[in-house]
Amino acid sequence: MKANRSLWRSLTLAVTLSVAAAPIADACTRVVYHGPEDRILTARSMDWSLPMLSNLWVFPRGMERNGEAGENSLTWTSKYGSMIVSGYDFSTVDGMNEAGLVANMLWLVASEYPENDGSRPEISLSIWAQYFLDNYGSVAEAVADMEANPFDVVTADVPDQPGRLAKVHLSLSDASGDSAILEWLDGELVIHHGPQYRTMTNDPPYDQQLAIKRYWQDVNPRESLPGTTRSPDRFTRADTYIDMVVQSDEPRIAAAAAMSVIRNASVPYGINTPDAPNLSTTRWRVVADHKDKLFYVESAISPNLFWVDLNNLDFSAEAGVRMLDLGVDMVKLKSGEVSAEFKPAEPFQFEPVN
């Protein structure tokens, strides 16, 4: 335990120093539930320092896309339809496609994107998650194609915050329980691929989060777990509780278990600490059931949980783009299954980077 305590002190100091030196950032948590009979769910919280416009959008198959990064942009045609959660209606920050692949974007202050020399195509950070939802049915397929056909990601300023670059890492999960964590560190893409990479928060980078996980494996979780809203503490609680909650193939019970874990890792509403970059109030939470294609949504300011059954959505090209208007911080009240409430809409413009 002495060695583990020393490791913990070193990691804590490293996190503290990186946080103190960083601009104001935002925080989230993501965790994957591995239940019996292939009952896989991915839960995430969206923690953000300012009110956020987050609507639900349905994008059909066959959409012509480009990377919104200028002349060297990657281009593709969407193979899969998807239902996504937007960030300010110009970025995909979360979502699930019709094959059951889920993508989640979380803040990572340490992100450093490459300086492209023209040798590889580029895409804007705003469409990074959507690229995977459009093109892949599994995590393994996505990782293999990234390794065979690399591209670069380009960032831009956070909305209404000029001079502050958006910096995120991305998680992927699928119906088999496989996961991948994608981070741009020192201009290079680092991928952690495997079903064991179930939990993810923000800083520090993921290899250091795994070191924190190893420390807490030697501690009895019924006697001691970190309780603050700091990123390493949220990681530890989510990673511990996801195995302690009831394990069930019953969709309603499994969703309740996963949602209870992500609520436990959330930041109480109204908390924003200027000198703690990785601590911002939780705006909303989602849970995606990969097996039954159910997508549960909970706003922090709503008394109701609602959900979308993706099996009820038409992802054909003829169906077009549809949107469920939820308003800033999902203020508009919804309850029950809401797939019939999506309305035709013009596709939003992903934030371009020139």
Side-chain angles (χ1 to χ4, degrees), residues 52-91:
M52 172 184 280
L53 177 65
S54 297
N55 292 315
L56 300 188
W57 290 77
V58 175
F59 293 134
R61 306 174 210 111
M63 294 190 73
E64 299 295 328
R65 304 279 203 191
N66 77 81
E68 305 294 344
E71 295 181 357
N72 202 31
S73 290
L74 189 70
T75 60
W76 67 92
T77 302
S78 61
K79 180 180 178 181
Y80 296 99
S82 59
M83 194 213 72
I84 67 95
V85 187
S86 71
Y88 297 97
D89 276 357
F90 64 65
S91 176

Side-chain angles (χ1 to χ4, degrees), residues 50-172:
L50 298 172
M52 172 184 280
L53 177 65
S54 297
N55 292 315
L56 300 188
W57 290 77
V58 175
F59 293 134
R61 306 174 210 111
M63 294 190 73
E64 299 295 328
R65 304 279 203 191
N66 77 81
E68 305 294 344
E71 295 181 357
N72 202 31
S73 290
L74 189 70
T75 60
W76 67 92
T77 302
S78 61
K79 180 180 178 181
Y80 296 99
S82 59
M83 194 213 72
I84 67 95
V85 187
S86 71
Y88 297 97
D89 276 357
F90 64 65
S91 176
T92 294
V93 296
D94 202 282
M96 178 163 62
N97 71 14
E98 58 184 317
L101 183 76
V102 167
N104 324 97
M105 287 211 306
L106 282 70
W107 196 267
L108 177 64
V109 171
S111 300
E112 293 293 340
Y113 302 98
E115 292 290 337
N116 189 274
D117 60 5
S119 63
R120 291 192 297 266
E122 297 175 302
I123 68 173
S124 167
L125 195 67
S126 67
I127 201 171
W128 191 27
Q130 189 64 49
Y131 171 82
F132 294 104
L133 296 175
D134 283 352
N135 287 292
Y136 306 109
S138 72
V139 173
E141 180 188 6
V143 171
D145 197 30
M146 277 188 293
E147 293 173 343
N149 302 288
F151 58 84
D152 287 344
V153 170
V154 183
T155 189
D157 288 348
V158 175
D160 300 322
Q161 299 181 52
R164 178 192 173 198
L165 289 178
K167 295 188 173 189
V168 302
H169 49 178
L170 178 74
S171 67
L172 301 173

Side-chain angles (χ1 to χ4, degrees), residues 108-346:
L108 177 64
V109 171
S111 300
E112 293 293 340
Y113 302 98
E115 292 290 337
N116 189 274
D117 60 5
S119 63
R120 291 192 297 266
E122 297 175 302
I123 68 173
S124 167
L125 195 67
S126 67
I127 201 171
W128 191 27
Q130 189 64 49
Y131 171 82
F132 294 104
L133 296 175
D134 283 352
N135 287 292
Y136 306 109
S138 72
V139 173
E141 180 188 6
V143 171
D145 197 30
M146 277 188 293
E147 293 173 343
N149 302 288
F151 58 84
D152 287 344
V153 170
V154 183
T155 189
D157 288 348
V158 175
D160 300 322
Q161 299 181 52
R164 178 192 173 198
L165 289 178
K167 295 188 173 189
V168 302
H169 49 178
L170 178 74
S171 67
L172 301 173
S173 49
D174 65 23
S176 75
D178 199 8
S179 285
I181 310 298
L182 285 61
E183 298 181 332
W184 288 96
L185 302 174
D186 297 322
E188 299 291 333
L189 181 62
V190 178
I191 302 174
H192 298 266
H193 177 209
Q196 68 272 30
Y197 301 122
R198 295 190 295 165
T199 311
M200 170 182 171
T201 53
N202 312 103
D203 293 86
Y206 201 67
D207 58 343
Q208 295 179 50
Q209 292 188 33
L210 294 177
I212 294 170
K213 172 184 172 76
R214 288 192 293 272
Y215 166 83
W216 283 101
Q217 285 176 337
D218 292 330
V219 177
N220 184 343
R222 298 185 185 277
E223 295 180 355
S224 178
L225 275 179
T228 80
T229 52
R230 295 171 61 252
S231 179
D233 292 1
R234 287 184 283 107
F235 180 100
T236 302
R237 291 202 307 282
D239 194 67
T240 301
Y241 286 137
I242 201 64
D243 287 326
M244 295 179 69
V245 293
V246 61
Q247 305 293 301
S248 175
D249 180 45
E250 205 285 312
R252 187 170 173 178
I253 300 301
M259 185 64 80
S260 70
V261 173
I262 206 64
R263 286 170 178 156
N264 183 274
S266 296
V267 179
Y269 191 75
I271 291 181
N272 289 299
T273 307
D275 59 352
N278 288 342
L279 197 164
S280 294
T281 192
T282 296
R283 302 285 170 182
W284 46 261
R285 290 171 284 265
V286 300
V287 172
D289 183 329
H290 299 259
K291 185 175 182 179
D292 283 358
K293 310 297 190 303
L294 301 172
F295 196 89
Y296 300 90
V297 183
E298 180 181 63
S299 169
I301 57 175
S302 171
N304 300 325
L305 181 77
F306 66 94
W307 63 94
V308 179
D309 185 342
L310 271 70
N311 298 294
N312 293 336
L313 297 175
D314 185 355
F315 290 109
S316 67
E318 294 75 20
V321 175
R322 281 147 292 153
M323 188 261 280
L324 182 63
D325 183 8
L326 298 175
V328 175
D329 285 346
M330 300 184 178
V331 68
K332 297 183 179 181
L333 296 182
K334 303 290 180 181
S335 63
E337 204 282 320
V338 298
S339 58
E341 297 186 33
F342 283 80
K343 304 299 182 184
E346 291 298 318

